[in-house]
Amino acid sequence: MPGPQKNLAASVNGSRLWDRHMAMAEVGGTPRGGVHRLPFSAEDTASRRLLLSWAEARGFSAQMDDFANIFVRRAGLDEAAPPVMSGSHLDTQPLGGKFDGVFGVLAAFEALEALEDACVQTKRSVEAVVWSAEEADAGFGIGCLGSQVYADPTKLLPLSQIVDNKGTTVREALERMLRDHPKLPRRDFRAPISSYVEAHIEQGPALESGGHTIGIVTAIHGQRWFEVELFGEAGHAGNFPEKLRRDALLAAVQIIAELRALFYDPSDIVRFTIGRLEVDPNALAVIPGYVSFTIDFRHPDEEVLSELGDKVAVVAAKNRGPCEVKVSEIRRSRTTPFAGIVPKAILAATTNLRLPYCHIASGAGHDARYIAELCPTGMIFIPCWRGISHNELENASPNDVAAGARVLAETLLVLANCEF
Amino acid sequence: MPGPQKNLAASVNGSRLWDRHMAMAEVGGTPRGGVHRLPFSAEDTASRRLLLSWAEARGFSAQMDDFANIFVRRAGLDEAAPPVMSGSHLDTQPLGGKFDGVFGVLAAFEALEALEDACVQTKRSVEAVVWSAEEADAGFGIGCLGSQVYADPTKLLPLSQIVDNKGTTVREALERMLRDHPKLPRRDFRAPISSYVEAHIEQGPALESGGHTIGIVTAIHGQRWFEVELFGEAGHAGNFPEKLRRDALLAAVQIIAELRALFYDPSDIVRFTIGRLEVDPNALAVIPGYVSFTIDFRHPDEEVLSELGDKVAVVAAKNRGPCEVKVSEIRRSRTTPFAGIVPKAILAATTNLRLPYCHIASGAGHDARYIAELCPTGMIFIPCWRGISHNELENASPNDVAAGARVLAETLLVLANCEF
């Protein structure tokens, strides 16, 4: 029997939440304090078992779909109404950290527990979700597999056929994991969701450097990825005069310098990164005959993405010097804006709790990008130490973790009771 | 008994010389038409045996010093006078070509044979030399070992202790080769040489593109090698705003662009090459946290080498942006000018033979750099196909090979008979 209703934010238990992060971090924990829990691995399965053991202890039910996405449910008064959902992922990058994804799952689970502890009845059910294989990009070249398939089951077949560098398909890796997985009642792909909130560490330095505890996410940036290749001619560094050289590295440097000037944005919204650059033969006394480099360009405005992005090939052609150049667009994704009731509820919860906050766009992709195709969606960011993520050094403060969970719990409560 | 004296240049046998190149190319020959005959290898020893078998067939004597440098001798009238010497090396780069080094040895040997065939008596003896381990830089990081030790035996101990990437010292590699080597009478290091001429393929495109058959080498460029390291900070490409980034690659690009402008030389004498560039972590969606690149700078003028080279660190410091920068000079060698009787004799022989020629500086190092410390020295270049060298595709025309050998033979004849 539920007792008298208590304050929800006060029922969010910061030390319990922190302890669960530390317990989860032992599953695939590395000697340097990081976590190596690859999608579909035994550690991935073990982390889900741990969460389900906590759910069972609290009397929460759970379901799973055919892509092993898990839904832990605290039932509402109207069991038939689509649930309010919150979560993220438990898998990590190779040698990743303790908070990326995990915070979103555990903060959602803490919200369920806090609702329980505060003896709060909600109209809709509230669910904590674990999306499968969010970090699959390291092995399979594409991430957010679980949320993508949930939102659009027609992607199941093509995504299942992707192969990692050991020749294993997504289908094989998924089936191997499902064999070891706890059996749970079945949930259909695209089962209706009332609204979705994802909490996550920022994975950038803006909140920390600005002194904000909460980031209310306005959008996930659209992005365009390019590969630029320069075909020159290798030659002896001592004997080739400048005028007979076709130096692929100098051409690449010229193109990068021009692109940098073109993408310079005084308002600092453009994200422009040359992350990978390869030189061949890459020998001290040999003129580079071939260079390839990548461009990662992100922006919240589709028009800017189109206009600026389309200039990459133009700048490359104009500055190729005596080399041949080839520009390939290797990925493009649209901007996902977050607006409406979910960000409004996050803002209300944040101001009620009197936490310092800012509005922020996410340059990184998240499962929320795909769930936003199904229902009103928003995201809550908390700071992470020096912006470092996808790294064993990834860290967050217990205070910010608790604050983020409080905002999430209050947000979910509002969304679970509102009419729409 | 010698017959009547004949024209020396006409006695240079182009097809014999070409056939010997092709026979030598089978020792360590690769399926793609190149040669893989590493210093101190079994193939290196086999190539020397082949040369010594040809020498024995012509009645030429041979000696060897303690670094396995080999001297094949056609005796002059004055056996006690220091010999005129010519040669180069028989070892190759990994997957190298048929002509680099080999041409210098075989052209010198052809000159000895032509002197013999033409029944020409010389005052001084004429010798064809094989310098050991010229191409040792690929394995041991430093080349021209045999000629260096011959010219300065105090280098024997330090050079012997250098280790390759398998942990083998130069001393061990040399001793292993000497055990299998034909036994020859002993020659001392620094035994006097009257003058030295080295014939070589250009390893650059200038002769071919200028329509010259002969390059009369004016100098071996001095060179300075630098490593520049940029220390920034890695971060997520989507989430780090520009103003909080410490992007090591953008800093490197800025430095390279400035250096390129600084080293630009309308007279096209400066040789400036960024051959190697490494990015860490070198991942598409990660801001580069560390970049290193090398600078290979060569010039015939010591003053330019000093002044321009000293500006590398200044430019790097000025353009490092928010990164730390470290500049290390990893090698420096002085310019070796060729002037006096040897280039004069080469010029006379070339004009007598009415061959198209030019004066040319060598950006590449050669054994002649070290022998020039002992005696008057010069070099003869012939064209190589498209300037390609240190490569299985390396090629030269039979006509140019024969022309170079004719110039060499006439030059050696003059030097062997002149008084100085």
Side-chain angles (χ1 to χ4, degrees), chain A residues 304-332:
Chain A
V304 177
L305 272 180
S306 282
E307 280 186 19
L308 258 184
D310 289 351
K311 287 186 184 153
V312 167
V314 179
V315 168
K318 202 176 278 180
N319 293 279
R320 66 189 170 85
C323 301
E324 299 301 310
V325 68
K326 182 180 163 199
V327 177
S328 318
E329 181 154 11
I330 53 185
R331 190 186 295 187
R332 179 168 187 163

PDB file of all heavy atoms in Angstrom, chain A residues 304-332:
ATOM      1  N   VAL A 304      22.248  26.129 -43.746  1.00  0.00           N
ATOM      2  CA  VAL A 304      23.696  26.304 -43.622  1.00  0.00           C
ATOM      3  C   VAL A 304      24.417  24.995 -43.971  1.00  0.00           C
ATOM      4  O   VAL A 304      25.432  24.993 -44.678  1.00  0.00           O
ATOM      5  CB  VAL A 304      24.077  26.760 -42.194  1.00  0.00           C
ATOM      6  CG1 VAL A 304      25.582  26.875 -42.050  1.00  0.00           C
ATOM      7  CG2 VAL A 304      23.395  28.094 -41.866  1.00  0.00           C
ATOM      8  N   LEU A 305      23.880  23.882 -43.480  1.00  0.00           N
ATOM      9  CA  LEU A 305      24.475  22.584 -43.809  1.00  0.00           C
ATOM     10  C   LEU A 305      24.570  22.395 -45.319  1.00  0.00           C
ATOM     11  O   LEU A 305      25.598  21.941 -45.842  1.00  0.00           O
ATOM     12  CB  LEU A 305      23.626  21.454 -43.240  1.00  0.00           C
ATOM     13  CG  LEU A 305      23.896  20.990 -41.816  1.00  0.00           C
ATOM     14  CD1 LEU A 305      22.923  19.865 -41.466  1.00  0.00           C
ATOM     15  CD2 LEU A 305      25.331  20.512 -41.641  1.00  0.00           C
ATOM     16  N   SER A 306      23.504  22.746 -46.003  1.00  0.00           N
ATOM     17  CA  SER A 306      23.489  22.561 -47.457  1.00  0.00           C
ATOM     18  C   SER A 306      24.461  23.508 -48.142  1.00  0.00           C
ATOM     19  O   SER A 306      25.318  23.077 -48.918  1.00  0.00           O
ATOM     20  CB  SER A 306      22.078  22.807 -48.001  1.00  0.00           C
ATOM     21  OG  SER A 306      21.287  21.684 -47.747  1.00  0.00           O
ATOM     22  N   GLU A 307      24.327  24.799 -47.819  1.00  0.00           N
ATOM     23  CA  GLU A 307      25.103  25.797 -48.563  1.00  0.00           C
ATOM     24  C   GLU A 307      26.606  25.676 -48.299  1.00  0.00           C
ATOM     25  O   GLU A 307      27.400  25.627 -49.229  1.00  0.00           O
ATOM     26  CB  GLU A 307      24.617  27.205 -48.210  1.00  0.00           C
ATOM     27  CG  GLU A 307      23.346  27.550 -48.968  1.00  0.00           C
ATOM     28  CD  GLU A 307      22.930  28.995 -48.729  1.00  0.00           C
ATOM     29  OE1 GLU A 307      23.779  29.798 -48.287  1.00  0.00           O
ATOM     30  OE2 GLU A 307      21.755  29.308 -48.986  1.00  0.00           O
ATOM     31  N   LEU A 308      26.960  25.645 -47.003  1.00  0.00           N
ATOM     32  CA  LEU A 308      28.391  25.564 -46.684  1.00  0.00           C
ATOM     33  C   LEU A 308      28.958  24.213 -47.118  1.00  0.00           C
ATOM     34  O   LEU A 308      30.040  24.133 -47.708  1.00  0.00           O
ATOM     35  CB  LEU A 308      28.611  25.749 -45.180  1.00  0.00           C
ATOM     36  CG  LEU A 308      29.099  27.101 -44.689  1.00  0.00           C
ATOM     37  CD1 LEU A 308      29.353  27.052 -43.187  1.00  0.00           C
ATOM     38  CD2 LEU A 308      30.375  27.537 -45.411  1.00  0.00           C
ATOM     39  N   GLY A 309      28.219  23.154 -46.812  1.00  0.00           N
ATOM     40  CA  GLY A 309      28.706  21.810 -47.136  1.00  0.00           C
ATOM     41  C   GLY A 309      28.960  21.634 -48.625  1.00  0.00           C
ATOM     42  O   GLY A 309      29.938  21.017 -49.040  1.00  0.00           O
ATOM     43  N   ASP A 310      28.076  22.215 -49.435  1.00  0.00           N
ATOM     44  CA  ASP A 310      28.230  22.078 -50.888  1.00  0.00           C
ATOM     45  C   ASP A 310      29.478  22.789 -51.406  1.00  0.00           C
ATOM     46  O   ASP A 310      29.910  22.550 -52.538  1.00  0.00           O
ATOM     47  CB  ASP A 310      26.992  22.617 -51.624  1.00  0.00           C
ATOM     48  CG  ASP A 310      25.785  21.702 -51.445  1.00  0.00           C
ATOM     49  OD1 ASP A 310      25.968  20.591 -50.905  1.00  0.00           O
ATOM     50  OD2 ASP A 310      24.670  22.096 -51.841  1.00  0.00           O
ATOM     51  N   LYS A 311      30.035  23.695 -50.584  1.00  0.00           N
ATOM     52  CA  LYS A 311      31.233  24.411 -51.047  1.00  0.00           C
ATOM     53  C   LYS A 311      32.522  23.599 -50.866  1.00  0.00           C
ATOM     54  O   LYS A 311      33.575  23.994 -51.388  1.00  0.00           O
ATOM     55  CB  LYS A 311      31.357  25.747 -50.314  1.00  0.00           C
ATOM     56  CG  LYS A 311      30.329  26.762 -50.808  1.00  0.00           C
ATOM     57  CD  LYS A 311      30.523  28.131 -50.200  1.00  0.00           C
ATOM     58  CE  LYS A 311      29.406  29.076 -50.648  1.00  0.00           C
ATOM     59  NZ  LYS A 311      29.169  30.142 -49.677  1.00  0.00           N
ATOM     60  N   VAL A 312      32.441  22.497 -50.131  1.00  0.00           N
ATOM     61  CA  VAL A 312      33.658  21.695 -49.903  1.00  0.00           C
ATOM     62  C   VAL A 312      34.292  21.287 -51.234  1.00  0.00           C
ATOM     63  O   VAL A 312      35.493  21.481 -51.458  1.00  0.00           O
ATOM     64  CB  VAL A 312      33.345  20.445 -49.047  1.00  0.00           C
ATOM     65  CG1 VAL A 312      34.518  19.469 -49.075  1.00  0.00           C
ATOM     66  CG2 VAL A 312      33.029  20.853 -47.608  1.00  0.00           C
ATOM     67  N   ALA A 313      33.472  20.729 -52.114  1.00  0.00           N
ATOM     68  CA  ALA A 313      34.009  20.249 -53.388  1.00  0.00           C
ATOM     69  C   ALA A 313      34.547  21.405 -54.232  1.00  0.00           C
ATOM     70  O   ALA A 313      35.548  21.263 -54.940  1.00  0.00           O
ATOM     71  CB  ALA A 313      32.928  19.487 -54.157  1.00  0.00           C
ATOM     72  N   VAL A 314      33.893  22.568 -54.139  1.00  0.00           N
ATOM     73  CA  VAL A 314      34.328  23.735 -54.912  1.00  0.00           C
ATOM     74  C   VAL A 314      35.705  24.204 -54.431  1.00  0.00           C
ATOM     75  O   VAL A 314      36.622  24.435 -55.236  1.00  0.00           O
ATOM     76  CB  VAL A 314      33.294  24.888 -54.770  1.00  0.00           C
ATOM     77  CG1 VAL A 314      33.752  26.116 -55.541  1.00  0.00           C
ATOM     78  CG2 VAL A 314      31.912  24.423 -55.228  1.00  0.00           C
ATOM     79  N   VAL A 315      35.850  24.328 -53.098  1.00  0.00           N
ATOM     80  CA  VAL A 315      37.132  24.771 -52.534  1.00  0.00           C
ATOM     81  C   VAL A 315      38.233  23.758 -52.842  1.00  0.00           C
ATOM     82  O   VAL A 315      39.371  24.128 -53.181  1.00  0.00           O
ATOM     83  CB  VAL A 315      37.003  24.963 -51.001  1.00  0.00           C
ATOM     84  CG1 VAL A 315      38.365  25.138 -50.354  1.00  0.00           C
ATOM     85  CG2 VAL A 315      36.103  26.158 -50.703  1.00  0.00           C
ATOM     86  N   ALA A 316      37.894  22.478 -52.768  1.00  0.00           N
ATOM     87  CA  ALA A 316      38.902  21.441 -53.040  1.00  0.00           C
ATOM     88  C   ALA A 316      39.375  21.529 -54.489  1.00  0.00           C
ATOM     89  O   ALA A 316      40.578  21.467 -54.766  1.00  0.00           O
ATOM     90  CB  ALA A 316      38.329  20.061 -52.734  1.00  0.00           C
ATOM     91  N   ALA A 317      38.429  21.700 -55.403  1.00  0.00           N
ATOM     92  CA  ALA A 317      38.801  21.768 -56.825  1.00  0.00           C
ATOM     93  C   ALA A 317      39.659  22.994 -57.108  1.00  0.00           C
ATOM     94  O   ALA A 317      40.613  22.940 -57.888  1.00  0.00           O
ATOM     95  CB  ALA A 317      37.535  21.785 -57.685  1.00  0.00           C
ATOM     96  N   LYS A 318      39.334  24.113 -56.443  1.00  0.00           N
ATOM     97  CA  LYS A 318      40.022  25.365 -56.713  1.00  0.00           C
ATOM     98  C   LYS A 318      41.440  25.382 -56.147  1.00  0.00           C
ATOM     99  O   LYS A 318      42.302  26.110 -56.639  1.00  0.00           O
ATOM    100  CB  LYS A 318      39.196  26.527 -56.122  1.00  0.00           C
ATOM    101  CG  LYS A 318      39.475  27.868 -56.741  1.00  0.00           C
ATOM    102  CD  LYS A 318      38.535  28.936 -56.171  1.00  0.00           C
ATOM    103  CE  LYS A 318      37.171  28.943 -56.851  1.00  0.00           C
ATOM    104  NZ  LYS A 318      36.260  29.966 -56.314  1.00  0.00           N
ATOM    105  N   ASN A 319      41.692  24.598 -55.095  1.00  0.00           N
ATOM    106  CA  ASN A 319      42.984  24.658 -54.403  1.00  0.00           C
ATOM    107  C   ASN A 319      43.795  23.371 -54.516  1.00  0.00           C
ATOM    108  O   ASN A 319      44.690  23.131 -53.715  1.00  0.00           O
ATOM    109  CB  ASN A 319      42.743  24.983 -52.922  1.00  0.00           C
ATOM    110  CG  ASN A 319      42.193  26.385 -52.746  1.00  0.00           C
ATOM    111  OD1 ASN A 319      42.938  27.356 -52.759  1.00  0.00           O
ATOM    112  ND2 ASN A 319      40.874  26.488 -52.612  1.00  0.00           N
ATOM    113  N   ARG A 320      43.483  22.555 -55.522  1.00  0.00           N
ATOM    114  CA  ARG A 320      44.154  21.259 -55.630  1.00  0.00           C
ATOM    115  C   ARG A 320      45.569  21.373 -56.183  1.00  0.00           C
ATOM    116  O   ARG A 320      46.327  20.413 -56.175  1.00  0.00           O
ATOM    117  CB  ARG A 320      43.325  20.305 -56.477  1.00  0.00           C
ATOM    118  CG  ARG A 320      43.212  20.751 -57.936  1.00  0.00           C
ATOM    119  CD  ARG A 320      42.209  19.909 -58.697  1.00  0.00           C
ATOM    120  NE  ARG A 320      41.921  20.473 -59.988  1.00  0.00           N
ATOM    121  CZ  ARG A 320      42.648  20.262 -61.093  1.00  0.00           C
ATOM    122  NH1 ARG A 320      43.708  19.491 -61.046  1.00  0.00           N
ATOM    123  NH2 ARG A 320      42.308  20.829 -62.225  1.00  0.00           N
ATOM    124  N   GLY A 321      45.917  22.558 -56.710  1.00  0.00           N
ATOM    125  CA  GLY A 321      47.247  22.730 -57.288  1.00  0.00           C
ATOM    126  C   GLY A 321      47.444  21.755 -58.438  1.00  0.00           C
ATOM    127  O   GLY A 321      46.534  21.546 -59.251  1.00  0.00           O
ATOM    128  N   PRO A 322      48.612  21.108 -58.530  1.00  0.00           N
ATOM    129  CA  PRO A 322      48.874  20.205 -59.655  1.00  0.00           C
ATOM    130  C   PRO A 322      48.353  18.790 -59.408  1.00  0.00           C
ATOM    131  O   PRO A 322      48.669  17.884 -60.174  1.00  0.00           O
ATOM    132  CB  PRO A 322      50.401  20.209 -59.746  1.00  0.00           C
ATOM    133  CG  PRO A 322      50.856  20.470 -58.350  1.00  0.00           C
ATOM    134  CD  PRO A 322      49.798  21.315 -57.679  1.00  0.00           C
ATOM    135  N   CYS A 323      47.582  18.578 -58.337  1.00  0.00           N
ATOM    136  CA  CYS A 323      47.099  17.234 -58.003  1.00  0.00           C
ATOM    137  C   CYS A 323      45.681  17.022 -58.531  1.00  0.00           C
ATOM    138  O   CYS A 323      44.953  17.966 -58.799  1.00  0.00           O
ATOM    139  CB  CYS A 323      47.116  17.022 -56.492  1.00  0.00           C
ATOM    140  SG  CYS A 323      48.767  17.209 -55.773  1.00  0.00           S
ATOM    141  N   GLU A 324      45.291  15.758 -58.609  1.00  0.00           N
ATOM    142  CA  GLU A 324      43.889  15.432 -58.836  1.00  0.00           C
ATOM    143  C   GLU A 324      43.210  15.390 -57.484  1.00  0.00           C
ATOM    144  O   GLU A 324      43.846  15.061 -56.470  1.00  0.00           O
ATOM    145  CB  GLU A 324      43.748  14.073 -59.528  1.00  0.00           C
ATOM    146  CG  GLU A 324      44.408  14.019 -60.896  1.00  0.00           C
ATOM    147  CD  GLU A 324      43.826  15.051 -61.850  1.00  0.00           C
ATOM    148  OE1 GLU A 324      42.585  15.107 -61.958  1.00  0.00           O
ATOM    149  OE2 GLU A 324      44.606  15.813 -62.459  1.00  0.00           O
ATOM    150  N   VAL A 325      41.923  15.717 -57.455  1.00  0.00           N
ATOM    151  CA  VAL A 325      41.201  15.689 -56.187  1.00  0.00           C
ATOM    152  C   VAL A 325      39.870  14.976 -56.366  1.00  0.00           C
ATOM    153  O   VAL A 325      39.253  15.038 -57.433  1.00  0.00           O
ATOM    154  CB  VAL A 325      40.987  17.117 -55.635  1.00  0.00           C
ATOM    155  CG1 VAL A 325      40.027  17.914 -56.494  1.00  0.00           C
ATOM    156  CG2 VAL A 325      40.496  17.085 -54.182  1.00  0.00           C
ATOM    157  N   LYS A 326      39.482  14.243 -55.315  1.00  0.00           N
ATOM    158  CA  LYS A 326      38.182  13.571 -55.324  1.00  0.00           C
ATOM    159  C   LYS A 326      37.517  13.816 -53.984  1.00  0.00           C
ATOM    160  O   LYS A 326      38.126  13.591 -52.936  1.00  0.00           O
ATOM    161  CB  LYS A 326      38.378  12.069 -55.549  1.00  0.00           C
ATOM    162  CG  LYS A 326      37.085  11.289 -55.634  1.00  0.00           C
ATOM    163  CD  LYS A 326      37.358   9.802 -55.854  1.00  0.00           C
ATOM    164  CE  LYS A 326      36.110   8.989 -55.528  1.00  0.00           C
ATOM    165  NZ  LYS A 326      36.447   7.576 -55.302  1.00  0.00           N
ATOM    166  N   VAL A 327      36.286  14.323 -53.998  1.00  0.00           N
ATOM    167  CA  VAL A 327      35.540  14.593 -52.764  1.00  0.00           C
ATOM    168  C   VAL A 327      34.337  13.658 -52.724  1.00  0.00           C
ATOM    169  O   VAL A 327      33.558  13.611 -53.677  1.00  0.00           O
ATOM    170  CB  VAL A 327      35.066  16.056 -52.711  1.00  0.00           C
ATOM    171  CG1 VAL A 327      34.223  16.301 -51.456  1.00  0.00           C
ATOM    172  CG2 VAL A 327      36.267  17.008 -52.754  1.00  0.00           C
ATOM    173  N   SER A 328      34.207  12.891 -51.639  1.00  0.00           N
ATOM    174  CA  SER A 328      33.059  11.993 -51.482  1.00  0.00           C
ATOM    175  C   SER A 328      32.303  12.371 -50.220  1.00  0.00           C
ATOM    176  O   SER A 328      32.923  12.560 -49.170  1.00  0.00           O
ATOM    177  CB  SER A 328      33.528  10.539 -51.349  1.00  0.00           C
ATOM    178  OG  SER A 328      34.568  10.244 -52.245  1.00  0.00           O
ATOM    179  N   GLU A 329      30.981  12.460 -50.312  1.00  0.00           N
ATOM    180  CA  GLU A 329      30.189  12.666 -49.102  1.00  0.00           C
ATOM    181  C   GLU A 329      29.880  11.284 -48.544  1.00  0.00           C
ATOM    182  O   GLU A 329      29.241  10.462 -49.211  1.00  0.00           O
ATOM    183  CB  GLU A 329      28.899  13.434 -49.422  1.00  0.00           C
ATOM    184  CG  GLU A 329      28.093  13.677 -48.167  1.00  0.00           C
ATOM    185  CD  GLU A 329      27.198  14.913 -48.259  1.00  0.00           C
ATOM    186  OE1 GLU A 329      27.047  15.459 -49.354  1.00  0.00           O
ATOM    187  OE2 GLU A 329      26.681  15.331 -47.206  1.00  0.00           O
ATOM    188  N   ILE A 330      30.345  11.013 -47.325  1.00  0.00           N
ATOM    189  CA  ILE A 330      30.215   9.650 -46.812  1.00  0.00           C
ATOM    190  C   ILE A 330      29.056   9.496 -45.826  1.00  0.00           C
ATOM    191  O   ILE A 330      28.659   8.389 -45.512  1.00  0.00           O
ATOM    192  CB  ILE A 330      31.547   9.147 -46.186  1.00  0.00           C
ATOM    193  CG1 ILE A 330      32.083  10.122 -45.134  1.00  0.00           C
ATOM    194  CG2 ILE A 330      32.582   8.929 -47.280  1.00  0.00           C
ATOM    195  CD1 ILE A 330      33.436   9.732 -44.578  1.00  0.00           C
ATOM    196  N   ARG A 331      28.502  10.601 -45.338  1.00  0.00           N
ATOM    197  CA  ARG A 331      27.301  10.500 -44.513  1.00  0.00           C
ATOM    198  C   ARG A 331      26.621  11.865 -44.466  1.00  0.00           C
ATOM    199  O   ARG A 331      27.287  12.889 -44.491  1.00  0.00           O
ATOM    200  CB  ARG A 331      27.650  10.042 -43.094  1.00  0.00           C
ATOM    201  CG  ARG A 331      26.367   9.709 -42.302  1.00  0.00           C
ATOM    202  CD  ARG A 331      26.640   9.401 -40.859  1.00  0.00           C
ATOM    203  NE  ARG A 331      27.418   8.208 -40.674  1.00  0.00           N
ATOM    204  CZ  ARG A 331      27.664   7.678 -39.464  1.00  0.00           C
ATOM    205  NH1 ARG A 331      27.184   8.256 -38.379  1.00  0.00           N
ATOM    206  NH2 ARG A 331      28.399   6.586 -39.344  1.00  0.00           N
ATOM    207  N   ARG A 332      25.303  11.847 -44.378  1.00  0.00           N
ATOM    208  CA  ARG A 332      24.571  13.090 -44.171  1.00  0.00           C
ATOM    209  C   ARG A 332      23.370  12.792 -43.289  1.00  0.00           C
ATOM    210  O   ARG A 332      22.653  11.831 -43.514  1.00  0.00           O
ATOM    211  CB  ARG A 332      24.097  13.668 -45.515  1.00  0.00           C
ATOM    212  CG  ARG A 332      23.321  14.955 -45.326  1.00  0.00           C
ATOM    213  CD  ARG A 332      23.110  15.692 -46.640  1.00  0.00           C
ATOM    214  NE  ARG A 332      22.499  16.992 -46.351  1.00  0.00           N
ATOM    215  CZ  ARG A 332      22.480  17.999 -47.207  1.00  0.00           C
ATOM    216  NH1 ARG A 332      23.027  17.870 -48.389  1.00  0.00           N
ATOM    217  NH2 ARG A 332      21.914  19.148 -46.878  1.00  0.00           N
TER     218      ARG A 332
END
